[in-house]
Amino acid sequence: MEVKLTTLAENTANYGFIGEWGLSILVEADGKKILMDTGLGFSAARNAKIAGVDISAIDSIVLSHGHADHTGGLRDVLEVKGDVEIVAHPDIWDAKHAQREPESFQYIGIPFPREALEGKGARFKLTKEPVLISEHIMTSGEIPMTSGYEEIDRNLFIKKDGALQPDSLSDDLALIIDADFGLVVILGCGHRGVVNTLRHAQKLTGKEMIYAVIGGIHLIRASDEQIELTIAELQTMGIQRLGVSHCTGFKASCRLAQEFPGVFFQNNAGTRIDLP
């Protein structure tokens, strides 16, 4: 099986493309074209034109979670695509907030009403369980917190009944491709931990070999200890391509580049890769 990945939105960009905080990756595999996330705003749709990608031809959209930097491009994508199934967790519609200062909270959830998106053709398939998109492609569903050292950022909250409470990010999910050469795992942010996510992918598929990990690996605020524990675990998984994006953070990216020479790459907007 050939897997083709084109990154349409990311914090930084290759020459000629537009950089914008967030992430969107077009996945072409197993006869399907799947858009994983839509970035923060206009960049995914704009970069698709620059890359010569026809997003009207996508089969489905997968939302990794309900933060604006992964869902804010939905309206622009729907303007081009129209009717399309969107696979996600029900909690994407929680009123998500981030604490910026001790007494300052900012709304960071989906920036559009559900009805407005459905009016443009969005068909939401919301479930906590894994979804089989094709014979060899599935979403992770909810990811168990098993590593012991990965945790949700403490500045993330949801508002319910007028009160703020910590957000467990249960809606955080990944896209898993069970290719003949190994697993390919696409992450949006990996809020519930890259190690937790990859262990879950192994359990769901019954496969140990993880060929590629692509996307956001949420280590931007991680301690040195967590970064080193993460690296040690990743080194046991046989990873051949490690393309990090968005919320990985410069410090963690540098350490990963040191420890995975010839495997690591920075996955920016405009990056295209064919696997294997």
Side-chain angles (χ1 to χ4, degrees):
M1 178 197 299
E2 184 180 34
V3 178
K4 301 177 72 172
L5 305 174
T6 306
T7 299
L8 299 179
E10 205 269 336
N11 305 4
T12 56
N14 293 343
Y15 182 80
F17 290 86
I18 296 165
E20 184 181 42
W21 182 270
L23 192 65
S24 178
I25 300 174
L26 176 66
V27 179
E28 298 177 77
D30 208 23
K32 296 290 185 181
K33 294 184 178 182
I34 303 161
L35 189 63
M36 176 71 162
D37 290 338
T38 64
L40 178 64
F42 65 90
S43 64
R46 182 75 61 85
N47 283 336
K49 291 181 180 179
I50 296 170
V53 169
D54 181 11
I55 56 175
S56 71
I58 61 175
D59 297 295
S60 59
I61 296 172
V62 173
L63 297 180
S64 66
H65 60 299
H67 283 162
D69 51 348
H70 296 259
T71 63
L74 266 172
R75 185 170 59 187
D76 285 352
V77 169
L78 290 170
E79 290 285 356
V80 179
K81 171 56 183 174
D83 183 59
V84 66
E85 182 176 77
I86 300 177
V87 180
H89 188 284
D91 290 358
I92 61 166
W93 293 108
D94 283 346
K96 294 178 177 290
H97 288 70
Q99 185 176 19
R100 302 304 189 193
E101 301 292 341
E103 299 299 326
S104 175
F105 294 84
Q106 178 185 1
Y107 177 77
I108 59 168
I110 298 177
F112 316 109
R114 178 171 177 171
E115 296 77 12
L117 297 174
E118 290 175 333
K120 291 185 177 296
R123 290 182 284 108
F124 288 97
K125 182 182 179 70
L126 303 179
T127 176
K128 299 178 181 181
E129 302 301 322
V131 173
L132 196 64
I133 296 175
S134 73
E135 183 180 357
H136 300 287
I137 304 175
M138 67 190 304
T139 63
S140 65
E142 287 192 9
I143 298 166
M145 302 289 287
T146 59
S147 67
Y149 53 84
E150 293 175 310
E151 60 181 24
I152 306 300
D153 284 348
R154 296 179 183 180
N155 70 322
L156 299 177
F157 295 84
I158 57 174
K159 183 176 282 187
K160 287 190 175 182
D161 301 322
L164 289 163
Q165 60 188 60
D167 189 355
S168 67
L169 266 293
S170 295
D171 52 323
D172 183 80
L173 57 78
L175 190 67
I176 303 165
I177 305 169
D178 186 359
D180 51 0
F181 50 84
L183 299 180
V184 178
V185 182
I186 316 294
L187 300 97
C189 265
H191 278 287
R192 290 180 69 84
V194 60
V195 171
N196 291 332
T197 301
L198 298 180
R199 287 178 178 173
H200 186 54
Q202 290 172 322
K203 184 176 180 180
L204 285 176
T205 61
K207 306 286 182 63
E208 291 296 317
M209 169 63 177
I210 297 176
Y211 182 85
V213 179
I214 311 293
I217 300 174
H218 200 74
L219 295 170
I220 193 167
R221 297 181 184 88
S223 65
D224 290 343
E225 179 185 18
Q226 181 180 339
I227 291 171
E228 297 308 315
L229 288 169
T230 299
I231 288 170
E233 186 72 19
L234 294 179
Q235 288 173 330
T236 70
M237 294 181 175
I239 296 169
Q240 301 299 302
R241 304 295 298 275
L242 178 60
V244 305
S245 303
H246 180 42
C247 57
T248 306
F250 288 121
K251 180 173 70 173
S253 294
C254 289
R255 284 292 296 123
L256 290 165
Q258 289 174 326
E259 295 297 330
F260 291 89
V263 172
F264 173 93
F265 64 96
Q266 195 71 38
N267 188 57
N268 307 320
T271 298
R272 300 187 194 215
I273 58 170
D274 295 338
L275 304 174

